[in-house]
Amino acid sequence: MTQYRLKNEKDSSEEQNNSKIWGGRFSSSSNKLMEEFNSSIQFDKKLYKQDIEASIVHAEMLCKQKIISEKDFKLIKTGLNKIKTEISNNNFTFSIKLEDIHMNIENRLVDLIGDAGKKLHTGRSRNDQVATDIKLWLRDSIDQIEINLKLLQKTLMDKSELYYDMLMPGYTHLQVAQPVTFGHHLLAYVEMLGRDRGRLTDCRKRLNELPLGSAALAGTSYPIDRDFVSKKLGFDKPTKNSMDGVSDRDFAVEFMSAASLIAIHLSRLAEELVIWSSDRFNFIKLPESFTTGSSIMPQKRNPDAAELIRAKPGRIFGNMLSLMTVLKGLPMTYGKDMQEDKEPIFDTARTIQMCIVNMDGMIKGLQPIPNNMIEALQKGFPTATDLADYLVINLDIPFRDAHHLTGRIVLLAEEKDCTLESLSLKDIQKIIPEADNKILDVLKIQNSVSSRNSYGGTAPKNVLKAAREAKKRFLKD
Ligand code: ARG
């Protein structure tokens, strides 16, 4: 049988009784194993500020409701603030034996102020406490993520304004389709991130109900004032049902699903940066500070930041799946299973933040190479659709025939190894005898782009207007 031993753990029973190695050491060390397994302090110490903030307000409410004395409240408040300083100055010894952040803080409080500290936990439980702490923590993170998304949108909009008329190929199936402008392309991401911000706002709104006061699961017989605590902690209202209050983690799943979509969007942009900066495309130069060299091939500049952003959704989706799996089938109300919520939440928030700020850095520093974009465009015969449309509208040719004739013209350009723009009228008349000079204009990429002036289209004038409108819409307040 395989024996499990913690690193550095001395196996004293082994020396004492070889014949009963497993049995002997089980009773002597299982507590240690269990302590380590059961504790969350390694990761939930992150919640210390929220835990202390909520505890101070809870104590203030207990005092206001005459459940504890003014004197005890003052002692509790001073003690908790001292603990906050100790932890932020790295002057606090966390103990696995005390399991989690809640008990570590409470235990220290009793050390510091004696019996008054033992009154803090009146009318609450760790179940409503932890749900409150996580909500407070996540609320701050959501706000921070939203700010960074907005900054990234701003960077993209600035670039869109700058490159509102820079021609580049628009792709479908990663084949040149129709000309667009670089600004137009970047604005597509501004819209995606705008929806992402909306989802975060929705999630924050639904999250913003206070669980504290639900106590273990059934509420409490103390005359507490949940509205007071809710207001003071910036919640919209207390949760309506105490059982739901302690067992709800929907807000975390919602956050992770919003984060997953952000990750999807950023990974698409990251992949475009990888493609655009590859030597075959060479549409952009990424800022050196976001690329790395190869240890063996001196010519290389690898788009590592973009590749990492491309990869991170794996981790973010995984976190969401892990939490959903923990919650699924969990009977009401709290189960220790729910302690498993924290690491995926923390990791998701941190990962998505890193993706957003690194993307921002890359977009800020990228240099487009317009000549290469144009060259790629020309090679893709991107005005073929314009030509077919022209034949339909001006020469009264049915669309299917127009499509076919245009195909023959593309073939001709291919045979002559030239662009559509550089075909002569004579060349064209060999296939469409009734064509006149005007047809040459239709084949010009610049004209094609300018003609796409429908609402939401890529005509440079539109793009400039759209970038300015987006700034108004997304950057207000
Ligand atoms: N560390 C625990 C968690 O994160 C706190 C709540 C513990 N509650 C309990 N009844 N054991 O979920």
Side-chain angles (χ1 to χ4, degrees):
M1 176 176 288
T2 319
Q3 293 178 28
Y4 180 76
R5 192 181 304 163
L6 294 177
K7 227 167 132 194
N8 301 329
E9 187 191 347
K10 242 183 113 197
D11 188 357
S12 54
S13 57
E14 206 166 328
E15 292 147 28
Q16 290 163 5
N17 189 346
N18 277 342
S19 61
K20 285 187 188 162
I21 287 175
W22 192 86
R25 82 186 285 280
F26 188 74
S27 63
S28 63
S29 60
S30 64
N31 286 341
K32 248 183 153 187
L33 288 172
M34 170 59 180
E35 255 167 37
E36 168 115 9
F37 189 48
N38 197 36
S39 70
S40 52
I41 189 63
Q42 306 88 320
F43 45 86
D44 69 13
K45 57 180 155 195
K46 242 190 184 41
L47 297 172
Y48 79 94
K49 278 193 193 139
Q50 290 73 16
D51 197 72
I52 288 173
E53 187 193 354
S55 284
I56 290 177
V57 175
H58 176 70
E60 188 182 349
M61 180 276 291
L62 292 178
C63 170
K64 182 182 87 65
Q65 298 298 96
K66 309 220 176 334
I67 300 167
I68 62 170
S69 70
E70 183 95 26
K71 188 169 152 246
D72 285 342
F73 165 55
K74 284 196 174 134
L75 281 170
I76 290 174
K77 188 171 172 180
T78 315
L80 286 173
N81 279 325
K82 183 166 184 337
I83 295 172
K84 186 156 83 179
T85 314
E86 287 177 353
I87 300 179
S88 28
N89 293 344
N90 262 331
N91 246 339
F92 189 97
T93 315
F94 291 104
S95 154
I96 280 190
K97 279 197 170 28
L98 292 166
E99 216 179 297
D100 55 29
I101 187 64
H102 324 294
M103 301 223 276
N104 268 267
I105 290 178
E106 192 180 321
N107 191 70
R108 176 72 183 136
L109 186 67
V110 175
D111 272 359
L112 286 172
I113 65 167
D115 277 356
K118 297 183 188 161
K119 298 183 183 170
L120 172 62
H121 213 51
T122 314
R124 74 173 188 190
S125 123
R126 276 187 297 156
N127 298 349
D128 54 346
Q129 195 181 354
V130 73
T132 304
D133 291 0
I134 295 254
K135 280 189 168 184
L136 286 171
W137 189 91
L138 196 52
R139 200 173 68 183
D140 281 355
S141 287
I142 288 175
D143 290 344
Q144 205 48 52
I145 293 168
E146 225 239 292
I147 289 173
N148 285 330
L149 277 179
K150 187 170 166 181
L151 290 175
L152 175 55
Q153 278 185 307
K154 161 120 179 32
T155 303
L156 287 162
M157 290 186 275
D158 286 343
K159 292 279 167 185
S160 307
E161 264 181 330
L162 200 58
Y163 305 128
Y164 75 99
D165 61 352
M166 183 179 283
L167 299 175
M168 76 177 292
Y171 293 90
T172 61
H173 313 272
L174 203 56
Q175 312 268 334
V176 175
Q178 289 175 344
V180 293
T181 74
F182 191 40
H184 194 57
H185 196 130
L186 296 179
L187 280 182
Y189 286 97
V190 171
E191 292 302 321
M192 295 179 221
L193 300 182
R195 293 194 294 275
D196 290 332
R197 283 177 60 195
R199 272 181 281 272
L200 287 177
T201 310
D202 287 349
C203 162
R204 189 196 196 284
K205 205 167 166 38
R206 255 188 305 279
L207 163 156
N208 211 27
E209 294 184 1
L210 169 79
L212 202 62
S214 302
L217 76 161
T220 175
S221 55
Y222 292 101
I224 58 172
D225 181 350
R226 296 189 66 205
D227 285 310
F228 174 86
V229 178
S230 167
K231 258 197 208 97
K232 280 244 154 175
L233 290 175
F235 286 97
D236 295 329
K237 50 184 179 247
T239 49
K240 287 233 185 285
N241 177 295
S242 60
M243 295 177 78
D244 180 47
V246 293
S247 69
D248 169 36
R249 293 294 182 275
D250 293 3
F251 59 91
V253 177
E254 275 192 52
F255 164 68
M256 288 176 170
S257 120
S260 296
L261 266 164
I262 301 172
I264 290 173
H265 293 151
L266 294 182
S267 78
R268 293 182 74 172
L269 182 51
E271 169 65 355
E272 302 213 280
L273 296 182
V274 172
I275 294 175
W276 292 342
S277 64
S278 66
D279 355 298
R280 280 305 168 107
F281 274 72
N282 207 15
F283 285 2
I284 60 164
K285 212 171 143 203
L286 283 174
E288 225 153 71
S289 46
F290 287 88
T291 57
T292 61
S294 152
S295 53
I296 177 167
M297 296 161 284
Q299 83 282 16
K300 302 252 313 213
R301 247 169 58 134
N302 299 324
D304 287 22
E307 288 173 324
L308 283 169
I309 296 174
R310 187 172 64 183
K312 294 292 183 189
R315 186 175 175 137
I316 290 180
F317 302 168
N319 287 339
M320 177 163 72
L321 188 61
S322 123
L323 180 61
M324 291 196 302
T325 311
V326 166
L327 295 176
K328 136 180 204 302
L330 201 61
M332 287 293 227
T333 49
Y334 179 85
K336 190 72 177 207
D337 316 51
M338 288 164 78
Q339 180 164 288
E340 289 289 309
D341 62 353
K342 280 162 216 65
E343 287 163 293
I345 294 176
F346 295 153
D347 186 69
T348 299
R350 182 175 175 278
T351 305
I352 204 67
Q353 282 282 32
M354 299 281 279
C355 290
I356 297 169
V357 295
N358 276 281
M359 181 56 86
D360 191 58
M362 278 192 290
I363 301 290
K364 270 204 181 97
L366 69 75
Q367 295 291 340
I369 309 171
N371 288 344
N372 292 342
M373 294 186 183
I374 295 257
E375 199 181 315
L377 244 181
Q378 286 167 333
K379 283 194 182 135
F381 311 115
T383 50
T385 319
D386 302 74
L387 177 58
D389 289 342
Y390 177 86
L391 301 181
V392 171
I393 295 166
N394 296 283
L395 303 184
D396 203 23
I397 300 176
F399 183 76
R400 272 292 146 237
D401 296 341
H403 188 281
H404 180 79
L405 288 171
T406 306
R408 286 178 56 200
I409 293 204
V410 168
L411 201 64
L412 180 70
E414 234 166 19
E415 276 160 16
K416 298 183 72 152
D417 194 19
C418 71
T419 67
L420 286 179
E421 274 184 74
S422 51
L423 287 174
S424 68
L425 184 59
K426 261 204 189 124
D427 291 332
I428 294 170
Q429 282 171 336
K430 273 187 232 150
I431 296 164
I432 310 166
E434 60 272 56
D436 60 19
N437 260 327
K438 274 192 226 135
I439 215 163
L440 299 179
D441 285 343
V442 173
L443 295 176
K444 293 201 174 97
I445 290 172
Q446 185 68 57
N447 293 342
S448 159
V449 169
S450 306
S451 74
R452 301 253 141 68
N453 59 3
S454 56
Y455 183 78
T458 192
K461 260 199 205 156
N462 274 21
V463 174
L464 191 58
K465 230 169 92 186
R468 291 181 180 157
E469 181 278 327
K471 280 192 167 177
K472 277 203 200 118
R473 187 160 38 109
F474 290 123
L475 301 184
K476 59 173 192 277
D477 56 61

